[in-house]
Amino acid sequence: MSDDNVALGRRWFEEVWNQKKSAAAAELLAADAVMHGISETGEDVHGPAGFLALHAKLLSAFPDMQFTLDECFGAGDKIVVRWTATMRHTGPGLGIDSTGAEIKLRGMGIARIADGKVQETWDNWDRMAMFEQIDAAVKAKSAGA
């Protein structure tokens, strides 16, 4: 079972994030799923609708977002993923004018999977690094103006 769960985790990152397939998120996420710490504010996200709203917001800010899975393994009904993401801040999705900043983030998460769907996740990623990289680009533009 953990091999199937690991495959689901890999599919999640490839299809939902790298290929930007919203339909895959709705297919792989349980209707009552809870995602802890995934949002840019760290707040919980509930169900496919909540996730898809966050997904659209982040892709609006970072349309070229790409994830690399550094590690992905599982035991029982849980998987652990350690990832690196790269992106450029070219859109308004965070409520911040686009800066063109190149962003590199690292994070990790645990997902509980049942019946072939993600039921609950616990995510930890460096939000401060994202905002610092955006701020550095703003300061560089101001200095050059």
Side-chain angles (χ1 to χ4, degrees):
M1 185 58 122
S2 69
D3 287 345
D4 291 340
N5 292 345
V6 168
L8 187 147
R10 291 183 182 282
R11 182 178 169 207
W12 175 269
F13 280 89
E14 181 56 32
E15 292 184 24
V16 173
W17 289 111
N18 292 344
Q19 295 177 21
K20 314 329 184 232
K21 291 183 178 178
S22 298
E27 176 187 336
L28 298 174
L29 195 58
D32 60 348
V34 178
M35 293 146 278
H36 309 284
I38 192 173
S39 74
E40 79 279 9
T41 62
E43 294 176 28
D44 287 352
V45 173
H46 297 271
F51 175 79
L52 289 170
L54 172 67
H55 187 252
K57 182 179 185 180
L58 291 175
L59 290 180
S60 173
F62 308 106
D64 66 345
M65 181 183 293
Q66 288 292 300
F67 282 83
T68 299
L69 296 188
D70 302 314
E71 291 186 81
C72 184
F73 55 90
D77 66 348
K78 293 189 179 68
I79 62 168
V80 176
V81 178
R82 186 174 60 83
W83 52 262
T84 303
T86 57
M87 62 205 82
R88 184 178 295 273
H89 182 228
T90 58
L94 297 174
I96 301 168
D97 289 339
S98 86
T99 62
E102 292 184 26
I103 310 290
K104 184 173 184 176
L105 301 173
R106 290 186 173 84
M108 61 182 68
I110 299 170
R112 183 175 57 80
I113 298 168
D115 301 321
K117 294 188 181 266
V118 176
Q119 304 289 323
E120 190 169 14
T121 66
W122 299 265
D123 294 282
N124 188 354
W125 58 280
D126 197 349
R127 291 167 194 76
M128 181 63 81
M130 178 182 72
F131 287 111
E132 285 176 340
Q133 290 171 73
I134 289 171
D135 188 51
V138 169
K139 288 178 180 172
K141 279 185 177 181
S142 295

